[in-house]
Structure formats: C-alpha cells, structure tokens
Amino acid sequence: MKILKFGGTSVGSVQRIKEVARLISDGTPKIVVLSAMSGTTDALVEISDYLCRKNPDGASEITNKLLLKYLGMVDDLYRTETYRQLARKLIFEHFDYIRLFVKQTFTASEEKIVLAQGELLSTGLMNLYLLETGVRSVLLPALDFMRIDRNAEPEPASIREKLVALLEKHPDAELYITQGFICRNAFDGVDNLQRGGSDYTASLIGAAIHAEDIQIWTDIDGMHNNDPREVEKTSPVRQLHFDEAAELAYFGAKILHPTCILPAKLNNIPVRLLNTMQPDAIGTTISNETEKGKIKAVAAKDNITSIKIKSGRMLLATGFLRKVFEIFENYRTPVDVVATSEVGVSVTIDHCRSLDEIVNDLKKYGTVTVDQDLTIICVVGDLEWDNVGFESRIIYALKDIPLRMISYGGSNYNVSLLVKASDKKKALQALSSHLFYNSTN
C-alpha cells in the first residue's frame, strides 16, 4: 500500500480538492494524509491568541470569517443537496466546538484542540466528496492511532497496533483518509507532532504498515538544487540519499522537514516529493541509495549567530569542550556548525533567546566574540573524503566571498560554510554557476 500526503495548498480550494480526489481515485488502496486547508491553521492560531488574551470578541470575529469561508465552498464542492447538508452539519459541528472555548479558561491544552480542527475539517470534507463521487472511502481518525509519549516522541509499536486494527475493520475500502499533524499524548489529550507535522505523520504511517512508498505532494516539482527565490536558474534533483535530504531540509530547503524522513529511512521506504499542480512531473525520490561522485544541491539557513570562545588555557585542557557544550545544553540551545583549533572553538546557533546568558557563562572559560546576521550555506552530495577535488571546487566558487567558518568531515554528505547574510545571494549564485551549470566542470 502507498501513503500519499497532501499539504494545505494542495487542498486549499474547491478546485484543488477535486483535483486531489481525481489523483487519488485510481482504484488502488492507499492511505491519504491531509493537512488543514491553506490559511486555516493561521486563523486558528489567531483565534487561540485572542482566547489566551481573554478577548472573546476578537476570537469570535476571526471564527465567523473562517466559518463563512468554509460554508462558501459547499455549493461548489458537492453536487447533491444530501451531501451539501452533511457538509454543512460537519462544518457547524467543528465551529460550534471552537466557540465553546470562549466560555472556558484557555490553556495550551485547549489551544492544541482548537488547532486540530483544521485537519479534522479538511479530511471530513474530502471524505464526503469522495463518497458522493462513488469512491469507497473511509475516515481513519488520527486521534485513534497516532500517539506520542511523555517526551513528545512517537510510539511506533502503539501506532502500528492501533492502525492495523483500524485497517482490518475496513478491508474493502479503496481509500483511507486521515489527518496529518494531530495525535494524542501520553495523557490521552489532543496534541500534535510539531516537527514535520503532516510529513511526519505520513512517514510514521508508512513505517507502521511497511508501505510500498511514501509520497509527499506539494506545489513544487520536488527538491531543487538551489533556492529558486534567490537563484534564477534551478533544477529539480531527481534522486537523493536520505542523509542528503535531511541535510538540505535542516539547512533551509522548506519542502521537507529533516526529522520526518527518519522512520522511512529506518524502514527502507522510498519517499517521493511530487507536485500536485503537475502530477506527471518526475519529482524527487529519496532513498538509501547514493549517486556516487555527484554534488546534488545547495541550501541556506538564515538568522545565524556565531560564537567564538578563545582561550590559551584550552591547550591540553581535558574537558574544555564538554564544559562549553554543557552551557548550550543548559539553555536548550542547539548548535548547528562547529569548528575547533588548539586555542579556541567557534559554534553557530539559529536562535538567540538565551544569547546573553550563554555568553556570560562562556566568559568563565575564555574571550567570547559574537557575530550576528550570518547565513549557513550547505552544499550536499557524495562528499566522501576520498572524492578528490569536490572541496576545492566549492571553495573556488566562493573565492570572492569572505568565509567566517568552514565545516567538513562530520558528514559524508555535507560541507557547511558561514557567510555574511548580505553575501548569501551572491554565494548561492556562485555555487550554482560553478557546480551545476559550468560546462567546463
């Protein structure tokens, strides 16, 4: 069985919903994971913010606008009055539920319940549309099988057991429609997967049933070899290793979240990135196979801060690095890139919530220098150390751009370079020209 996930843009209008329905209704059984319709989650976040601030009028105004948007779709989406009435009933049930929170104390737990209504609406409306068109469709509530533990990590054994039991109840179904993003936590409350959202849901479901493949459908034709927002000429990458895809996702490629492919990687299930607007496009296939001797793509991560700790006492000082990294751990601040020497260490972080406290603690061990407004440029491909020449080509492409840090060797798939944010566009263009479109290389 295949797993197909569609993002909010893919189901963002009546026309998009109908096109997705045609795409998935080919007579073969599959599980379809849907996000909330585009714009819905933002509106639900805004409603929640008003409720947190004890402003019921503001919450009601946004709720009414969102309700009218959904009601306005009904006549165009459904052909018969029977299904129009069922759709209106479904919509009112969810919005009446949201309105209940106006009269209650609103906490983070209630916010997660409100946010879940977007996915519940999109899947409910899609399921009704499929049934009206004669498709044997079944709604599989994610809240009945998707579960996280006390550490907010998925519980694969529980997911597998509950999902298989649900599927066995409907052996004749053609399509199983379920929600992305939402789940239950260890206390049986409504929660969400956060990292990777609906992509993570699709990957976890695929791993649970040992799927044939996992398809992530968005509005672009796969992962590109550079950022099309910054570089004029880019091309889709046809094949990536899971680790290459994870590096690109972590360092800026927005099409995929880095953690969501781990269950697929561990279970050796290919992940395909496809375009709802161009369903015949080849897209990108991610698997455990490596294309030898190729640089695949470039990505960039913005809003980076560099911290350099320099200390003459570091020489031969056992435990220096441990003490430094414990400070970042204490402030729950992940480190992206690291470079060391005999007398110092430089690291990068991508948020500065605790920057002042971190710097003050680091000053116990040496002189601290902070640089902000930086960008990490990530070059990904088969970069095994014995592939002679790749590193020099990367550095040569950036010969006119000052490099704050270079990190290589921590992965066989990645070289990371730190540049000024103002040099980002120039760096991306130079790498594209030299690595991908220079006929002399």
Side-chain angles (χ1 to χ4, degrees):
M1 188 180 294
K2 296 183 177 183
I3 314 300
L4 279 65
K5 175 264 176 180
F6 293 88
T9 304
S10 297
V11 291
S13 67
V14 168
Q15 185 61 31
R16 295 263 74 86
I17 292 172
K18 289 182 177 181
E19 289 178 4
V20 168
R22 282 195 293 270
L23 189 63
I24 62 180
S25 303
D26 60 1
T28 61
K30 55 182 72 72
I31 298 177
V32 179
V33 180
L34 300 182
S35 299
M37 290 178 59
S38 56
T40 298
T41 300
D42 288 342
L44 294 173
V45 168
E46 191 173 3
I47 291 167
S48 299
D49 188 50
Y50 277 119
L51 292 174
C52 284
R53 298 175 187 278
K54 296 181 171 53
N55 183 346
D57 292 339
S60 295
E61 182 177 345
I62 304 301
T63 302
N64 290 337
K65 287 182 181 178
L66 191 60
L67 172 62
L68 290 175
K69 173 185 174 180
Y70 275 90
L71 290 175
M73 296 169 52
V74 171
D75 286 343
D76 292 332
L77 184 56
Y78 302 98
R79 300 191 310 270
T80 65
E81 189 57 34
T82 298
Y83 276 91
R84 287 172 179 167
Q85 290 181 7
L86 288 171
R88 292 189 188 103
K89 181 175 181 292
L90 172 73
I91 292 168
F92 277 116
E93 284 176 352
H94 286 287
F95 279 90
D96 288 345
Y97 189 40
I98 292 172
R99 293 183 197 282
L100 291 177
F101 294 100
V102 173
K103 303 174 183 179
Q104 300 178 11
T105 301
F106 198 77
T107 66
S109 297
E110 280 72 39
E111 181 178 10
K112 290 174 180 176
I113 296 173
V114 170
L115 294 184
Q117 304 311 304
E119 279 74 16
L120 295 171
L121 278 163
S122 65
T123 51
L125 294 173
M126 175 64 83
N127 187 57
L128 287 175
Y129 179 76
L130 291 168
L131 291 173
E132 186 185 41
T133 57
V135 178
R136 300 191 308 277
S137 175
V138 172
L139 199 59
L140 291 182
L143 297 178
D144 287 354
F145 66 87
M146 190 60 64
R147 183 171 290 270
I148 56 176
D149 61 21
R150 292 173 181 267
N151 297 316
E153 295 295 335
E155 295 185 334
S158 174
I159 294 169
R160 182 181 302 108
E161 178 185 355
K162 294 177 182 296
L163 178 57
V164 169
L166 286 172
L167 292 173
E168 288 176 348
K169 289 182 179 180
H170 307 282
D172 298 325
E174 177 183 339
L175 295 175
Y176 303 91
I177 309 298
T178 192
Q179 301 84 24
F181 183 57
I182 66 175
C183 62
R184 289 199 182 274
N185 56 34
F187 309 99
D188 210 35
V190 175
D191 214 311
N192 56 65
L193 295 171
Q194 298 181 16
R195 299 165 301 175
S198 298
D199 292 351
Y200 204 11
T201 299
S203 189
L204 289 166
I205 291 174
I209 66 166
H210 304 290
E212 178 183 344
D213 70 11
I214 299 165
Q215 300 177 10
I216 308 295
W217 291 80
T218 64
D219 55 354
I220 60 175
D221 53 341
M223 195 173 286
H224 279 229
N225 61 5
N226 210 323
D227 188 344
R229 297 167 300 181
E230 301 286 348
V231 178
E232 289 184 8
K233 185 178 181 182
T234 67
S235 305
V237 181
R238 298 307 180 199
Q239 194 276 332
L240 287 169
H241 187 278
F242 279 116
D243 290 342
E244 292 173 334
E247 296 278 11
L248 288 170
Y250 184 78
F251 285 107
K254 303 298 184 184
I255 190 174
L256 194 66
H257 194 280
T259 59
C260 78
I261 57 175
L262 182 59
K265 175 187 176 182
L266 295 177
N267 290 272
N268 199 28
I269 302 170
V271 175
R272 300 180 64 201
L273 308 180
L274 299 166
N275 186 354
T276 312
M277 316 305 174
Q278 299 177 31
D280 294 330
I282 297 173
T284 301
T285 298
I286 305 169
S287 68
N288 279 314
E289 297 181 6
T290 300
E291 281 190 294
K292 294 295 184 181
K294 286 190 177 181
I295 293 179
K296 293 298 189 65
V298 178
K301 189 175 185 181
D302 297 320
N303 302 313
I304 300 298
T305 297
S306 167
I307 304 173
K308 180 168 69 175
I309 309 100
K310 183 179 178 182
S311 173
R313 293 177 293 161
M314 181 181 178
L315 186 63
L316 302 179
T318 303
F320 178 85
L321 287 177
R322 174 182 57 80
K323 293 173 183 177
V324 167
F325 285 106
E326 279 180 349
I327 291 171
F328 290 95
E329 181 182 358
N330 290 340
Y331 290 102
R332 302 179 66 83
T333 301
V335 170
D336 290 326
V337 177
V338 180
T340 65
S341 73
E342 286 293 342
V343 294
V345 57
S346 291
V347 303
T348 67
I349 59 175
D350 63 1
H351 68 74
C352 299
R353 289 192 298 268
S354 304
L355 180 61
D356 292 341
E357 294 87 344
I358 289 171
V359 170
N360 286 335
D361 285 359
L362 288 172
K363 285 179 178 178
K364 301 173 188 174
Y365 304 111
T367 304
V368 181
T369 304
V370 176
D371 293 321
Q372 295 184 289
D373 297 322
L374 302 171
T375 294
I376 296 172
I377 305 290
C378 167
V379 181
V380 163
D382 176 28
L383 294 166
E384 293 270 6
W385 69 275
D386 55 354
N387 286 339
V388 178
F390 282 176
E391 300 84 354
S392 63
R393 288 174 59 192
I394 293 167
I395 300 302
Y396 181 79
L398 301 176
K399 59 184 172 58
D400 297 323
I401 297 171
L403 302 179
R404 172 64 180 79
M405 285 174 62
I406 302 173
S407 177
Y408 170 60
S411 162
N412 291 330
Y413 299 97
N414 169 37
V415 174
S416 295
L417 310 109
L418 189 63
V419 302
K420 296 176 184 177
S422 56
D423 288 327
K424 170 188 171 181
K425 187 180 186 72
K426 182 179 178 183
L428 292 177
Q429 289 175 331
L431 287 166
S432 263
S433 297
H434 194 72
L435 299 178
F436 306 132
Y437 304 113
N438 188 340
S439 60
T440 63
N441 288 290

